């Protein structure tokens, strides 16, 4: 990581930022949003499965017959 | 792609140059992003080497060290002595009661309530209150129990009350510190003033289906046995990194992508904020096995607090009906760790009707933010400037209110920075306890509790003794260092990846 530090110092002496509304940056944002949405969906699906699993395990059925 | 797309920014002949410019920018951001992660890892090591001091942005003096008291606990009481500007002297008002802010012990270190100027500490100072802050140290006193912690906190409150005669302190509890404050209020009748519980769960089984999965984890993992195992593997200490990882797993989109992309996309604007926050987020603190198992078994899995069954020591059961000081409950609908259900649903469990609440001569005020996330309740500057300032501004009125349940509404912030002028119009609208109607899922959670008790008994009989026999301080330290929450960050430090 020493090389990264050296590179970062070099980059900071000659920054070349571009506007955030250029098409390439917009594509980048779109791709990022798509990745985030996919992960969001995976999280929501996982949470729904947790909920389903929890209620299948403890919500009644076997338990109510054996309690 | 059609050339129309390029109209605003490129000509058909300039796109190779634009592409090159973008690639250079992308590479430069990539380098600086990696460099920020390198610096985060270095900060993490530096913070550990410094003994993980509290990350308060204010000067302070230590009033009392809980490790030196009888029945010691790894807590300390600080008094905030100075803030960078001259606000402390300008705004100090000796008629204002002291405010005692207690940070949560949920894997991370203390300081989140005073992380920056626009924070709970900053707002309390701005409103003229003497401010005390309760911190804790990275390692628990061996064998430290909840009883020890509560006795030490009680001693802190008594000390502050002695220093400000006739002005019972306002207690300000963040997240997990909220239930500790509720226990303290039930135990310290007459000694404390209003208590403010920020994003604090008191009703652990409540939550919205599909939105608050954390309350289900105990059931899906078979109860509290895993906590016993992890604490045994840690040689009697439970590593806070486990709790931090648990929080991070709640929102995979944020943990795995958005947090890093926000930094990458705006490296100049986000770098300092990211590093400041990560310095707190990556400072993992430990709990003793006695503490964490009591918390998980009695509160998270057992939900004993709202049922009046929580025993902190032989013969002392906590009854929330003994709380006589006014309570302010601040929760957010955007909080997926402590949703309003968990912050408020204990009220109908303890006071079955509005009449019962009034007959108990109790005043409970709740304030709801529509969208801020869990950490935002304590960290967000906007929340500090609006909600926390409004709460502190109106805290004096709470003692004079008629008993009942109220919703606090904040209108018309003036934007006036003058600390001697009211900032808001705050009004309290009366509500009925019966209207706090969250779905009851108690039978399912009761089954989890029963299963958890069986599993813990099985673990402690057949597995725990062997785990404890084979665990050494070295193996515990090795597991601690190899925790993914540490390795994934530290591997980017020059110490671990020098090349």
């Amino acid at each position: 990581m020493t090389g990264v530090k050296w590179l970062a110092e070099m980059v900071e002496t000659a920054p070349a930022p571009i506007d955030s509304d250029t098409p390439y940056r917009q594509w980048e944002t779109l791709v990022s949003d798509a990745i985030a949405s996919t992960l969001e969906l995976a999280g929501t699906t996982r949470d729904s499965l947790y909920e389903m699993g929890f209620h299948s395990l403890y919500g009644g059925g076997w338990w109510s017959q054996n309690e | 792609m059609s050339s129309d797309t390029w109209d605003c920014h490129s000509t058909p002949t300039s796109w190779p140059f634009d592409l090159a410019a973008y690639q250079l920018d992308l590479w430069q951001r990539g380098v600086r992003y990696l460099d920020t992660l390198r610096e985060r890892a270095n900060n993490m090591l530096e913070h550990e080497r410094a003994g993980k001091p509290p990350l308060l942005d204010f000067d302070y003096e230590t009033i009392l060290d809980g490790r030196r008291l009888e029945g010691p606990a790894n807590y300390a009481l600080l008094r905030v002595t100075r803030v960078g500007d001259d606000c402390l002297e300008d705004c100090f008002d000796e008629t204002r009661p002291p405010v005692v802010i207690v940070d949560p012990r949920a894997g991370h270190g203390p300081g989140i309530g005073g992380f920056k100027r626009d924070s709970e500490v900053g707002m309390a100072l701005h409103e003229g209150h003497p401010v005390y802050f309760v911190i804790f140290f990275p390692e628990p006193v061996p064998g430290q129990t909840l009883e020890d912690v509560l006795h030490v906190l009680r001693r802190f409150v008594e000390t502050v009350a002695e220093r400000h005669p006739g002005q019972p302190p306002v207690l300000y509890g963040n997240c997990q510190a909220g239930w500790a404050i509720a226990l303290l209020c039930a135990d310290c009748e007459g000694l404390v003033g209003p208590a403010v519980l920020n994003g604090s769960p008191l009703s652990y089984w409540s939550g919205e289906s599909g939105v608050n999965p954390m309350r289900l984890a105990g059931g899906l993992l078979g109860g509290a046995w895993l906590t016993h195992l992890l604490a045994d593997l840690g040689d009697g200490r439970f590593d806070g990194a486990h709790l931090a990882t648990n929080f991070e797993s709640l929102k995979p989109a944020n943990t795995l992508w958005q947090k890093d992309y926000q930094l990458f996309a705006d490296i100049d604007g986000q770098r300092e904020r990211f590093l400041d926050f990560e310095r707190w987020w990556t400072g993992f603190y430990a709990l003793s096995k006695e503490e964490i198992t009591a918390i998980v078994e009695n509160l998270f899995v057992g939900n004993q607090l709202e049922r009046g069954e929580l025993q902190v020591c032989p013969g002392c059961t906590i009854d929330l009906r003994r709380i006589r000081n006014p309570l302010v409950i601040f929760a957010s609908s955007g909080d997926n760790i402590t949703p309003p259900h968990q912050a408020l649903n204990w009220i109908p469990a303890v006071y079955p009707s509005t009449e019962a609440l009034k007959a108990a001569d109790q005043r409970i005020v709740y304030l709801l933010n529509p969208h801020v996330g869990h950490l935002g309740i304590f960290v967000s500057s906007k929340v500090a400037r609006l909600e926390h300032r409004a709460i502190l501004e109106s805290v004096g009125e709470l003692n004079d209110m008629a008993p009942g349940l109220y919703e606090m509404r904040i209108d018309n912030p003036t934007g006036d920075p003058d600390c001697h002028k009211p900032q808001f119009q705050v009004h309290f609208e009366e509500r009925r306890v019966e209207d706090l109607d969250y779905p009851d899922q108690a039978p399912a959670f009761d089954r989890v509790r029963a299963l958890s008790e069986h599993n813990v008994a099985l673990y402690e009989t057949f597995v725990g003794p062997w785990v404890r026999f084979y665990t050494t301080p070295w193996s515990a330290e090795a597991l601690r260092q190899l925790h993914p929450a540490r390795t994934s960050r530290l591997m980017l430090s020059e110490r671990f990846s020098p090349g």
Side-chain angles (χ1 to χ4, degrees):
Chain A
M1 296 305 286
T2 314
V4 170
K5 185 184 176 192
W6 175 79
L7 271 177
E9 281 166 0
M10 262 185 44
V11 163
E12 277 165 31
T13 58
I18 59 168
D19 284 346
S20 58
D21 58 350
T22 58
Y24 295 110
R25 283 300 299 264
Q26 287 174 2
W27 285 346
E28 183 189 301
T29 309
L30 276 176
V31 172
S32 167
D33 289 348
I35 293 170
S37 301
T38 310
L39 289 167
E40 193 87 48
L41 182 68
T44 312
T45 311
R46 180 202 60 183
D47 294 348
S48 304
L49 288 171
Y50 279 1
E51 197 81 33
M52 247 166 55
F54 181 84
H55 289 293
S56 320
L57 281 170
Y58 301 103
W62 182 87
W63 287 90
S64 44
Q65 286 162 23
N66 290 280
E67 269 172 348
Chain B
M1 147 161 277
S2 77
S3 61
D4 291 349
T5 320
W6 301 99
D7 278 349
C8 337
H9 303 287
S10 311
T11 63
T13 51
S14 75
W15 71 264
F17 300 103
D18 292 341
L19 180 61
Y22 171 70
Q23 284 176 334
L24 178 63
D25 172 58
L26 191 73
W27 178 77
Q28 288 196 341
R29 278 187 289 140
V31 168
R32 295 197 60 206
Y33 165 74
L34 267 180
D35 187 55
T36 308
L37 298 188
R38 177 194 63 79
E39 199 167 329
R40 172 178 71 175
N42 287 350
N43 289 348
M44 197 174 162
L45 284 172
E46 188 188 308
H47 190 50
E48 281 205 12
R49 252 185 245 126
K52 296 187 210 159
L55 295 168
L56 280 173
D57 193 27
F58 301 86
D59 291 352
Y60 56 82
E61 61 175 350
T62 304
I63 303 291
L64 211 54
D65 187 335
R67 295 174 299 187
R68 299 204 175 89
L69 299 175
E70 199 182 325
N74 67 334
Y75 282 71
L77 175 69
L78 312 179
R79 186 178 75 91
V80 177
T81 53
R82 199 168 63 86
V83 61
D85 52 30
D86 56 1
C87 179
L88 191 55
E89 292 76 28
D90 279 359
C91 299
F92 183 69
D93 178 353
E94 58 186 28
T95 64
R96 294 272 187 163
V99 172
V100 180
I101 297 173
V102 188
D103 256 6
R105 200 148 151 250
H108 301 101
I112 199 72
F115 197 49
K116 49 193 174 182
R117 299 294 155 84
D118 284 340
S119 60
E120 294 165 355
V121 171
M123 289 304 117
L125 289 172
H126 196 74
E127 288 295 317
H129 298 271
V131 178
Y132 294 82
F133 200 89
V134 174
I135 61 153
F136 41 88
F137 298 99
E139 295 298 329
V141 173
Q144 174 177 312
T145 61
L146 275 190
E147 183 189 354
D148 297 327
V149 171
L150 286 174
H151 284 168
V152 163
L153 289 179
R154 186 189 168 108
R155 185 70 192 278
F156 289 172
V157 172
E158 286 168 351
T159 303
V160 174
E162 282 164 19
R163 292 169 67 100
H164 302 269
Q167 291 178 316
V170 176
L171 301 184
Y172 223 84
N174 293 326
C175 184
Q176 296 297 330
W179 57 255
I181 287 207
L183 303 189
L184 210 56
C185 293
D187 192 39
C188 297
E189 199 182 326
L191 196 65
V192 293
V196 184
L197 313 181
N198 299 302
S200 300
L202 295 184
S203 188
Y204 303 89
W205 293 352
S206 302
E208 197 176 332
S209 286
V211 180
N212 308 121
M214 199 186 259
R215 73 209 157 94
L216 312 177
L220 295 168
L221 296 168
W225 70 272
L226 188 60
T227 312
H228 283 253
L229 172 65
L230 291 173
D232 283 342
L233 288 171
D235 201 22
R237 291 177 311 158
F238 185 87
D239 185 359
H242 298 307
L243 295 172
T245 306
N246 195 26
F247 292 136
E248 288 187 335
S249 71
L250 273 180
K251 287 205 162 189
N254 186 56
T255 303
L256 299 174
W257 186 259
Q258 280 168 320
K259 189 174 164 185
D260 286 75
Y261 180 70
Q262 275 168 14
L263 172 67
F264 177 78
D266 180 19
I267 192 79
D268 285 323
Q270 297 292 321
R271 182 182 159 92
E272 289 311 313
R273 192 198 58 79
F274 177 87
L275 288 173
D276 280 347
F277 179 79
E278 287 288 303
R279 198 188 290 270
W280 174 74
W281 186 253
T282 57
F284 305 119
Y285 279 46
L287 290 101
S288 71
K289 180 182 177 185
E290 289 79 358
E291 285 175 288
I292 190 70
T293 52
I295 291 168
V296 172
E297 287 172 15
N298 301 332
L299 301 180
F300 298 163
V301 175
N303 198 28
Q304 292 178 354
L305 193 51
E306 70 172 27
R307 298 164 157 223
E309 296 170 357
L310 178 64
Q311 267 207 340
V312 285
C313 55
C316 34
T317 307
I318 298 292
D319 183 355
L320 293 177
R321 276 173 297 201
R322 280 210 302 266
I323 301 178
R324 286 285 176 269
N325 50 318
L327 294 179
V328 179
I329 298 163
F330 177 26
S332 169
S333 305
D335 181 350
N336 62 345
I337 293 174
T338 306
H341 313 57
Q342 292 197 0
L344 296 172
N345 208 20
W346 65 275
I347 301 171
V350 173
Y351 303 103
S353 64
T354 311
E355 287 64 40
L357 177 65
K358 287 183 177 176
D361 199 27
Q362 178 55 304
R363 287 134 294 167
I364 300 177
V365 174
Y366 67 87
L367 169 65
L368 295 177
N369 182 300
H371 51 73
V372 71
H374 185 68
L375 285 174
I377 292 177
F378 330 113
V379 186
S380 159
S381 302
K382 207 174 148 193
V383 170
R385 286 193 298 262
L386 181 69
E387 279 95 342
H388 289 301
R389 190 167 175 196
I391 289 170
L392 288 160
E393 243 181 45
S394 48
V395 90
E397 296 171 40
L398 300 173
N399 286 317
D400 304 326
M401 288 167 71
L405 177 69
Y406 299 88
E407 180 172 1
M408 182 177 169
R409 297 278 193 173
I410 309 167
D411 293 321
N412 303 324
T414 61
D416 191 338
D418 186 342
C419 54
H420 299 291
K421 290 181 185 166
Q423 264 269 331
F424 313 100
Q425 286 178 354
V426 171
H427 57 276
F428 301 98
E429 295 175 3
E430 193 157 3
R431 297 279 183 262
R432 293 192 58 75
V433 171
E434 294 80 352
D435 295 336
L436 295 175
D437 188 22
Y438 297 111
D440 179 25
Q441 298 170 330
F445 285 95
D446 254 330
R447 290 168 191 142
V448 173
R449 183 166 57 88
L451 180 72
S452 175
E453 283 167 9
H454 282 296
N455 285 347
V456 167
L458 284 173
Y459 169 82
E460 285 296 340
T461 308
F462 297 110
V463 185
W466 291 105
V467 176
R468 288 191 287 276
F469 179 75
Y470 282 111
T471 296
T472 65
W474 282 358
S475 69
E477 185 57 24
L479 284 177
R480 203 181 74 84
Q481 290 297 343
L482 290 172
H483 193 287
R486 287 192 182 81
T487 50
S488 63
R489 290 170 170 103
L490 288 176
M491 65 189 279
L492 296 170
S493 156
E494 286 131 306
R495 291 291 304 276
F496 290 88
S497 309

